[in-house]
Amino acid sequence: FFLMIRRPPRSTLDRSSAASDVYKRQYQRRVHGDYQKGKGMLAKCISRQFFGLFKKKVPAKFYTKPMLVLLGAPGVGKGTYGKRLSADWKMPIFSTGEYLRTLLKTDKTDLGEKLREFVKLGKLVDDATIMKIMEKRLFEDEKPENKGIILDGFPRTVGQAEMLDKIGTVKAAMNFYLRDDILVEKLAGRRECEKCHIPYNIATIKRAAYDMDPLLPKGSVEICDACKGKLIQREDDTPKVIQDRLKIYKEKTAPLEGYYKKKKIYIEYEPKRGVTDYPDILVKMDHFIKTNKPQSNR
């Protein structure tokens, strides 16, 4: 702003006539005005720089309601428990797997082809692709009446978890776990409605401490109770793909347990009786969200 303080021509200041006084007064007013203007501009610049150091940067889009993350290996039942939690808590549930399976059937673009190749090989979708899909769906579900959202199958890697933390706040992460041999048997018996994707299971597991009854439709074992759609076995529930998926889960998704443990928002549960354990799961989750302290598994 010092450049704005203009010095009048020397010839003007050297005049001895009455006009010289006029020129001097005009010059003084001009200098004073320029000084005040420059001082104000300098103050604004300093203020912006100083207070900008303490201003928290907020992303253009930020999900303001709590998010609950459900973790667990394929076949552990987190989708089934998530739908029941959604109904009891009046919170929408977003299943990454279901949404991706819809894209697999309906999307004819390069994205659909890319997703089909991932599923065929039993691999996880890369972080950049899944994050774009997730962010789009997350803000579609941000309605005033919703208390938050339950995320089933997302995040699947620590990288995705870090990206999720930039657009929202995870309130709790619940991990469901079972022995590998139990998971393989459950996955082999898994069925779902081809229309509404409600999950069922034809496997009966009665050994050691496990006591799991099949989860069958009330009517025909091949027809969905809700929409009367046909029950199908998913393409990724074949023995070889199951083993590959469990291996990938242990390598890429299991580290999420440590990530959320460090953030002190982690809780785990072993559902040895399948859906029969749901009331106990609900109690444990309610207790953890209210107190941030986990209860023991029974």
Side-chain angles (χ1 to χ4, degrees):
F1 74 92
F2 296 103
L3 297 176
M4 299 174 62
I5 301 177
R6 294 165 292 178
R7 186 179 186 276
R10 181 174 294 278
S11 60
T12 301
L13 295 176
D14 290 343
R15 292 179 184 177
S16 57
S17 62
S20 177
D21 292 336
V22 175
Y23 284 118
K24 286 179 180 180
R25 285 195 295 271
Q26 289 177 346
Y27 168 69
Q28 289 170 350
R29 284 196 297 269
R30 189 164 60 244
V31 169
H32 180 72
D34 288 345
Y35 172 75
Q36 293 297 330
K37 184 178 179 181
K39 187 172 70 172
M41 291 174 61
L42 180 62
K44 286 183 180 179
C45 290
I46 294 174
S47 176
R48 287 173 183 170
Q49 291 294 325
F50 180 76
F51 290 106
L53 296 174
F54 304 98
K55 187 176 180 181
K56 184 178 180 181
K57 293 183 179 180
V58 180
K61 280 189 173 183
F62 193 85
Y63 189 79
T64 57
K65 297 176 183 178
M67 297 185 290
L68 304 178
V69 172
L70 302 183
L71 304 174
V76 77
K78 58 184 180 295
T80 300
Y81 307 132
K83 286 182 172 63
R84 299 193 179 201
L85 288 170
S86 174
D88 286 333
W89 285 343
K90 304 297 187 292
M91 292 172 66
I93 180 170
F94 173 51
S95 171
T96 312
E98 286 185 10
Y99 187 63
L100 289 177
R101 285 191 290 275
T102 299
L103 290 179
L104 286 171
K105 296 177 181 178
T106 61
D107 195 303
K108 305 301 180 182
T109 66
D110 290 341
L111 175 61
E113 289 300 323
K114 187 176 181 180
L115 293 175
R116 281 186 279 275
E117 187 65 21
F118 274 115
V119 171
K120 189 178 295 183
L121 298 174
K123 295 182 178 180
L124 294 176
V125 181
D126 65 277
D127 290 354
T129 301
I130 200 68
M131 195 63 200
K132 289 180 181 178
I133 296 171
M134 175 62 209
E135 189 171 346
K136 179 178 181 296
R137 292 293 292 117
L138 181 65
F139 291 106
E140 284 179 358
D141 281 336
E142 193 176 21
K143 299 175 182 177
E145 64 271 19
N146 293 342
K147 299 177 181 178
I149 192 169
I150 300 172
L151 303 180
D152 169 20
F154 184 88
R156 293 192 177 187
T157 66
V158 172
Q160 290 178 4
E162 292 172 343
M163 288 188 282
L164 181 62
D165 285 341
K166 294 179 181 179
I167 61 171
T169 302
V170 176
K171 177 69 175 177
M174 187 168 200
N175 179 46
F176 298 99
Y177 66 96
L178 291 170
R179 278 177 9 198
D180 282 2
D181 60 314
I182 302 296
L183 287 172
V184 171
E185 192 168 345
K186 284 193 75 215
L187 283 167
R190 187 162 64 176
R191 301 291 184 272
E192 71 171 21
C193 175
E194 64 178 352
K195 293 182 179 179
C196 66
H197 304 293
I198 289 180
Y200 296 92
N201 203 299
I202 63 173
T204 300
I205 302 174
K206 306 277 187 181
R207 64 175 181 274
Y210 294 93
D211 184 10
M212 298 181 181
D213 292 321
L215 183 60
L216 302 172
K218 296 178 181 177
S220 171
V221 294
E222 297 180 353
I223 303 297
C224 174
D225 288 331
C227 70
K228 306 305 177 184
K230 182 181 178 182
L231 300 191
I232 60 172
Q233 184 176 30
R234 285 164 40 179
E235 293 181 3
D236 55 349
D237 281 344
T238 59
K240 183 181 184 305
V241 176
I242 288 173
Q243 294 293 345
D244 289 342
R245 290 172 67 201
L246 290 177
K247 180 181 178 182
I248 292 173
Y249 175 81
K250 290 178 181 179
E251 292 175 354
K252 294 191 175 183
T253 307
L256 278 171
E257 298 173 21
Y259 179 81
Y260 285 120
K261 281 179 181 178
K262 288 181 181 179
K263 296 174 73 70
K264 301 185 185 303
I265 55 173
Y266 175 85
I267 182 175
E268 61 183 19
Y269 193 95
E270 183 180 17
K272 295 181 179 180
R273 299 181 299 164
V275 292
T276 305
D277 278 334
Y278 174 71
D280 193 47
I281 292 171
L282 180 60
V283 170
K284 299 291 190 295
M285 280 295 286
D286 277 333
H287 176 80
F288 182 77
I289 290 174
K290 291 175 182 177
T291 66
N292 207 40
K293 296 179 180 179
Q295 289 181 328
S296 61
N297 191 352
R298 285 190 296 279

